[in-house]
Amino acid sequence: MNDANKILIGGGGKSNLELYRIIVMLLIVAHHYVVNSGLMEVMMSQPTSGKSIFLSLFGMWGKTGINCFVLITGYFMCRSEITLRKFLKLLLE
């Protein structure tokens, strides 16, 4: 049984971390949407409007999300076996 099936069935024991990683990815995408879509000018022109407050709350978790994503990825990388093929692939990239 591969790892994807273990996670879906619940036999992997890491499904909570996978769910957390998905949530963190959504937080990062929300942050990039707010920061890179030109909405910052709208938010700065009317900082106390409901839309600006919502966008601030919606996009403020990006930096924290990046840190969490890196920590989760590092955890999975430390728990995996390093093979010669993986090492060469990483080295060539």
Side-chain angles (χ1 to χ4, degrees):
M1 190 180 322
N2 63 18
D3 290 336
N5 288 337
K6 285 182 185 177
I7 291 170
L8 291 175
I9 295 171
K14 304 268 189 287
S15 60
N16 55 352
L17 285 176
E18 289 295 329
L19 176 63
Y20 185 54
R21 190 156 59 167
I22 291 169
I23 292 170
V24 166
M25 282 186 233
L26 292 174
L27 292 175
I28 294 168
V29 169
H31 174 76
H32 282 283
Y33 172 72
V34 171
V35 172
N36 298 326
S37 66
L39 291 173
M40 292 299 289
E41 290 82 21
V42 174
M43 291 170 55
M44 294 301 152
S45 67
Q46 302 171 347
T48 58
S49 71
K51 183 166 60 170
S52 293
I53 293 171
F54 171 76
L55 288 172
S56 295
L57 292 173
F58 185 67
M60 69 187 225
W61 299 105
K63 303 289 182 183
T64 304
I66 291 169
N67 291 336
C68 293
F69 189 81
V70 167
L71 287 171
I72 294 169
T73 303
Y75 171 77
F76 281 122
M77 288 182 71
C78 288
R79 301 291 294 175
S80 67
E81 301 272 333
I82 300 289
T83 62
L84 181 62
R85 182 173 185 249
K86 287 182 185 179
F87 178 75
L88 290 176
K89 183 179 176 184
L90 181 64
L91 185 65
L92 293 175
E93 287 180 9

